Amino acid sequence: MKSTCCRLLLLFGCVLLLAGIGFAGPCPSTTYDNYLGSGFSCGTDDKTFANFSYQSTSNPPGFSVPAGSVSVQPITTVGNPGFRFSAGWMASNASGILAVDSLIGYDVTVNPGGALITDVSLGIGGVGFAGTGSVFVDETVCLGAMLPSCTGGQFEQLSVYDYSGGTKLFDELSFAGVSFVDVEKDIEINAGTDGTARLSLVTNQFSESTTPEPGSIVLFGSGVLGLAGLLRRKLSL
């Protein structure tokens, strides 16, 4: 009887563990080119990140920022996971690099048993400009569906910037809890007619509610009750 109880307790522990984690491996600290490719996904906290994409252009051509030059650092804060993207985005009339543009995209899914996403934040650091230079990072967010159409979902926008018209280094969006978010960041660095601009850090985080998905609660509760009933039957033998 003792060995049977141990096996049942081990099975119960596995149910508890699987209820709070996803199936993807941990998101690595590496360059962004390692995140690209069909089928790649990774996990941080109780969220899975997938469908990574990247494009970069420049004016004149030949000075875009390649994915291999963008460093990725997962943010593993419990309840507020995300990423830090670091690169040497810059433009200046003196260098002849008049503009650089980079697009970063991916989606976030709540793992079974995880807490719904209720907040998205966008921030920049290592930023500056002179003269007519400007830095803009605009993020399009689709809550509950996929970009670009966002069919069945809800479009939202975040924006941060640094230029002669003002400075905004952080933006945040709160909403009713969803289990899926698709995002695309547009990083725009411009020298203008006579200026410089630079950016080295972009952060993106996804805060969550403290209440797991209702469907996950039902599924988890059913599993626990089933194991409890099995345990009682074994102990009564």
Side-chain angles (χ1 to χ4, degrees):
M1 181 185 294
K2 183 176 180 180
S3 62
T4 300
C5 291
C6 290
R7 287 196 297 271
L8 289 171
L9 288 174
L10 179 60
L11 180 59
F12 180 73
C14 289
V15 171
L16 287 173
L17 181 62
L18 290 174
I21 63 174
F23 302 103
C27 292
S29 298
T30 183
T31 51
Y32 196 71
D33 54 322
N34 292 297
Y35 278 72
L36 303 176
S38 177
F40 178 83
S41 64
C42 64
T44 301
D45 197 10
D46 60 355
K47 308 292 183 287
T48 294
F49 299 84
N51 296 316
F52 293 89
S53 63
Y54 184 79
Q55 291 181 338
S56 187
T57 59
S58 67
N59 178 25
F63 297 96
S64 60
V65 178
S69 295
V70 180
S71 297
V72 184
Q73 177 66 48
I75 298 173
T76 58
T77 305
V78 175
N80 195 19
F83 293 107
R84 293 184 181 93
F85 302 98
S86 302
W89 290 286
M90 62 82 62
S92 72
N93 291 99
S95 69
I97 305 173
L98 303 181
V100 174
D101 189 283
S102 295
L103 295 173
I104 297 176
Y106 54 90
D107 58 50
V108 191
T109 303
V110 176
N111 295 338
L116 297 175
I117 301 168
T118 59
D119 182 279
V120 176
S121 65
L122 174 67
I124 53 176
V127 61
F129 77 94
T132 57
S134 64
V135 175
F136 287 90
V137 181
D138 296 317
E139 181 165 285
T140 301
V141 178
C142 177
L143 307 178
M146 293 285 291
L147 293 169
S149 66
C150 198
T151 302
Q154 176 182 340
F155 272 118
E156 297 290 351
Q157 191 82 25
L158 294 94
S159 181
V160 289
Y161 47 81
D162 190 26
Y163 74 120
S164 60
T167 298
K168 183 179 181 182
L169 304 182
F170 183 81
D171 197 9
E172 190 171 18
L173 171 69
S174 296
F175 42 85
V178 296
S179 60
F180 180 85
V181 177
D182 200 6
V183 302
E184 185 175 85
K185 276 174 278 301
D186 188 359
I187 301 168
E188 302 174 87
I189 314 297
N190 287 281
T193 57
D194 184 19
T196 63
R198 60 180 175 82
L199 173 68
S200 62
L201 178 66
V202 179
T203 63
N204 216 180
Q205 289 179 263
F206 303 86
S207 300
E208 59 187 38
S209 67
T210 57
T211 304
E213 294 182 81
S216 299
I217 296 174
V218 172
L219 179 62
F220 175 69
S222 299
V224 171
L225 289 175
L227 283 173
L230 182 59
L231 182 60
R232 283 197 300 271
R233 287 195 297 273
K234 290 291 185 180
L235 291 176
S236 65
L237 294 178

